[in-house]
Amino acid sequence: MRIQAAVVEGPGGPFTLRDDLVIEAPRSDEILVRIAAAGICHTDLSTRLRWPQQLSPMVFGHEGAGVVEAVGDEVTSVRPGDSVCLTYRSCTDCGQCTTGHPAYCDTGIFALNASGTRSDGTTPLSRAGDGRPVYGSFFGQSSFASHALAHTSNVVKVPADLPPTIAAPLGCGVQTGAGTILNVLRPPRGSSVAVFGAGGVGLVSVMTAVAEGCRVIAVDPVAARRAKALKFGAVAAVDPQAVGDVAGAVRDHADGGPAFAVDTTGQPTVISQAIATLAQRGTLALVGVGGRAEFDIMTVLTKGIRIRGVIEGDAAPADFIPRLIARYRQGVLPFDEIITEFPFHEIEDAARAASAGEVIKPVLRFP
């Protein structure tokens, strides 16, 4: 079947729309989805910068939403015509998956989601004419395309009346921000939560913690994002470039220090600030993708700080995404207010706007 996709030809290359790709028919355990919307996540943008040349050209995209067009013989969870949200892939059989923690699948989150191929090393995409392979299967989907092949573990049925531009971000960014609060930190009502980085994931963490009755302090250098945090109920929004002591500024708003903190930046300096901010026996959730970070071990030891890495909000999508939809419809998770829509053919403009901080959550609309 011939499809259109945004292809990255090599490391750091732009998203280029091509109409000459072919996608295979679904295998027995696969689901063919016609994509109606796809969110652009920081992971898409950062991964394309360092994606290996030997696995190029590549199709990214891991926040797809659309309608099922065909299913393999073994698929019983959805059928053609169902509206679905796409999320990350897991094996479903290992100890982590069977105990409700598929984000930490023993098969490996990168092996299933960021290898550029199916588990058997094949790719379902190729170029029409010469048949040259195009790599994909990103997060088991590669949804920067008119059609994507996904699997039962990363396809969640959603209500038909839910707009696809709302459904799309649920699969990663919204799930991560909300899950970090609800599934991992679980702050008691009245406790203080500091959120470092008020991008898409950070602002969803803010609105979720506020809905749980917490005092939230947001930290971000972008004025528009700080304003959004305040609109969503944060008691304070700190500009780290305007204060000499970020940790002290946050503690001033949290009775000596928050019990919980979320870092969405992955930046070593910010992580150190978050640790210094916390009260005794506080907990820091590391959500942002980054490299190495250094921190003062004595501070962590003497204050009894707990540091917890979080992937995908430690969420089991089939159960968690319906809960998020319910929160959205109740008005306590208004993440639609951080979305900016772009037509699919403007994907490179949307990526540039996201990288420049001009928009918070770009979502692509497909014809």
Side-chain angles (χ1 to χ4, degrees):
M1 175 182 177
R2 196 154 174 158
I3 67 170
Q4 182 184 61
V7 178
V8 176
E9 297 288 347
F15 294 110
T16 303
L17 258 62
R18 299 189 65 108
D19 296 305
D20 61 345
L21 268 62
V22 173
I23 192 168
E24 295 179 0
R27 293 180 176 179
S28 62
D29 61 344
E30 292 180 334
I31 300 164
L32 179 66
V33 178
R34 175 173 54 81
I35 301 298
I40 296 180
C41 182
H42 175 73
T43 302
D44 296 305
L45 303 181
S46 61
T47 305
R48 74 163 170 169
L49 296 177
R50 60 178 186 271
W51 193 256
Q53 183 64 50
Q54 64 268 27
L55 293 175
S56 300
M58 175 70 183
V59 177
F60 294 99
H62 66 286
E63 289 185 342
V67 177
V68 175
E69 287 212 342
V71 300
D73 294 340
E74 299 176 7
V75 176
T76 59
S77 55
V78 293
R79 60 186 181 182
D82 285 344
S83 295
V84 294
C85 164
L86 306 186
T87 182
Y88 69 93
R89 192 179 173 199
S90 58
C91 78
T92 74
D93 295 324
C94 70
Q96 296 297 331
C97 287
T98 56
T99 55
H101 303 283
Y104 307 105
C105 176
D106 288 335
T107 302
I109 195 75
F110 290 103
L112 286 177
N113 292 278
S115 65
T117 65
R118 295 180 172 112
S119 300
D120 64 1
T122 64
T123 174
L125 302 174
S126 61
R127 290 238 169 101
D130 59 18
R132 286 184 298 165
V134 175
Y135 294 91
S137 298
F138 194 57
F139 281 65
Q141 54 182 284
S142 285
S143 52
F144 289 163
S146 61
H147 295 75
L149 277 177
H151 305 262
T152 54
S153 69
N154 70 320
V155 174
V156 178
K157 187 176 177 180
V158 299
D161 64 344
L162 186 71
T165 52
I166 297 298
L170 292 169
C172 184
V174 175
Q175 177 171 257
T176 298
T180 299
I181 301 298
L182 298 174
N183 300 332
V184 179
L185 296 182
R186 300 183 180 183
R189 180 170 293 273
S191 59
S192 295
V193 179
V195 178
F196 289 80
V201 171
L203 286 173
V204 170
S205 292
V206 168
M207 59 182 77
T208 304
V210 168
E212 293 299 290
C214 299
R215 289 176 51 84
V216 180
I217 302 95
V219 182
D220 197 284
V222 180
R225 295 184 174 189
R226 295 196 304 274
K228 282 285 190 184
L230 293 172
K231 180 181 179 182
F232 293 139
V235 298
V238 174
D239 180 357
Q241 297 177 342
V243 297
D245 179 7
V246 174
V250 174
R251 287 197 300 268
D252 287 343
H253 295 288
D255 298 325
F260 305 93
V262 179
D263 172 69
T264 70
T265 72
Q267 298 177 13
T269 300
V270 179
I271 292 171
S272 294
Q273 291 170 347
I275 291 172
T277 294
L278 285 166
Q280 298 293 107
R281 301 181 68 243
T283 301
L284 169 62
L286 297 180
V287 177
V289 176
R292 293 180 177 273
E294 295 182 0
F295 53 84
D296 183 0
I297 293 177
M298 288 305 295
T299 298
V300 173
L301 290 177
T302 58
K303 293 179 69 175
I305 300 297
R306 287 164 288 188
I307 300 175
R308 166 69 194 271
V310 182
I311 293 291
E312 295 287 350
D314 195 3
D319 297 323
F320 195 57
I321 286 175
R323 291 172 56 194
L324 297 178
I325 294 170
R327 282 178 166 255
Y328 167 72
R329 288 184 157 166
Q330 292 162 4
V332 298
L333 190 65
F335 66 91
D336 56 318
E337 296 186 28
I338 65 174
I339 290 174
T340 302
E341 296 184 17
F342 292 82
F344 179 46
H345 69 269
E346 293 182 8
I347 181 172
E348 186 62 23
D349 292 336
R352 180 201 56 77
S355 297
E358 297 170 4
V359 300
I360 296 170
K361 185 63 184 181
V363 176
L364 304 170
R365 299 187 317 270
F366 287 69

